[in-house]
Amino acid sequence: MTALFRLVGVGGVIAYRALFNWTTPPMFIGTLLVGPLFQLLFFAYLGRQLGVADDRFYLVGNAVLAASLACVFGGTMAVSNERRFGTLGHVLLSPRSRTAVWLGRVLPYAANGLLIAVFTLAGGALLLGLRVPPQALPGLLLAFAAGSLSCGFFGLTLGAVGMRFRDVWLVSNVSVALLLLLTGVNVPRPELPVGMRAVGEVLPITHAAEAARRLIDGEGLAAAAGPILAELAVGLGYALLAAVLLKVFEAESRRHASLDTL
């Protein structure tokens, strides 16, 4: 059991340091902290102009959405960059459980996403002059953590596709755009067509955003527990899907000798 925890914990941190493509602190700050904050301000002022929703709606939605960039692309890089750097074969030759190796890599990205979400919420609240109820903070952390985990496993699922297909980054970019459009973070979900709402139900951060909004509105953790559990269920579904795809595509890649093909 100790060896498993070391494989998941220490192995995940080492992989995060080696595979996540930020090389200097200024790049990290500019891309993953300042960028989401400006995105929040853009949608907040656009919402004011169009009269779609108030600032609080965009503050919460974009704080949850901010975690998706690092988690989705991080989860994708956890697999695809092994292939890009020519080390995928070494990982697959390991006698350890590859499922534990891959799933453990999501945890640092989820922690990264949680940090970004908290920063975006705090920075946005200060810039927009909004107050976050102190009693909502523990529940918000749970909602952000659930959304970050769900996005991480979603990204790992996309990374698994990268074991079989070359241009996984196209899929990742399209997927992030879908999160922006279909999860209700910037467009109220009742305003979306029925089909788009149905797709949003199975995408990460949809339920986390709903839970966070209930908490900000003062409804309490009991009211937000259902969406948080739904978000965790979505994350678990993507974790299982990623595990299956990694097994299947590993076997297919061995059969077609395409592990190191870029």
Side-chain angles (χ1 to χ4, degrees), residues 11-216:
V13 171
I14 292 174
Y16 170 81
R17 294 177 60 189
L19 301 175
F20 196 39
N21 287 347
W22 64 275
T23 54
T24 61
M27 183 179 293
F28 179 92
I29 293 171
T31 304
L32 296 179
L33 296 182
V34 176
L37 198 56
F38 277 102
Q39 179 175 282
L40 186 159
L41 294 175
F42 169 79
F43 281 107
Y45 283 105
L46 182 64
R48 287 182 185 179
Q49 183 69 26
L50 299 178
V52 175
D54 59 13
D55 289 353
R56 192 178 297 274
F57 176 87
Y58 295 103
L59 172 67
V60 176
N62 283 276
V64 178
L65 180 65
S68 67
L69 185 65
C71 293
V72 172
F73 282 105
T76 304
M77 289 176 186
V79 181
S80 296
N81 275 358
E82 293 282 8
R83 185 179 187 181
R84 177 186 174 191
F85 299 147
T87 55
L88 180 58
H90 300 286
V91 175
L92 299 182
L93 286 172
S94 170
R96 297 291 187 180
S97 168
R98 259 101 62 197
T99 300
V101 169
W102 296 125
L103 296 183
R105 292 187 174 188
V106 171
L107 300 180
Y109 299 112
N112 196 9
L114 178 60
L115 170 66
I116 295 167
V118 170
F119 175 84
T120 304
L121 180 72
L126 289 174
L127 291 173
L128 295 174
L130 300 175
R131 179 180 177 274
V132 178
Q135 65 273 18
L137 294 178
L140 286 172
L141 288 176
L142 285 176
F144 290 160
S148 298
L149 275 173
S150 184
C151 279
F153 287 124
F154 179 66
L156 189 65
T157 302
L158 301 179
V161 175
M163 292 184 68
R164 190 68 183 88
F165 303 99
R166 296 183 182 182
D167 196 1
V168 70
W169 303 112
L170 175 62
V171 179
S172 298
N173 280 289
V174 171
S175 299
V176 170
L178 290 178
L179 295 182
L180 178 66
L181 293 172
L182 304 181
T183 57
V185 291
N186 283 310
V187 179
R189 295 192 71 233
E191 304 296 328
L192 295 173
V194 175
M196 297 175 72
R197 291 202 303 270
V199 175
E201 287 289 334
V202 296
L203 288 176
I205 75 174
T206 298
H207 304 288
E210 180 184 351
R213 289 195 173 107
R214 291 187 182 186
L215 290 162
I216 288 290

Side-chain angles (χ1 to χ4, degrees), residues 26 67 124 234 256:
V234 170
H256 294 280

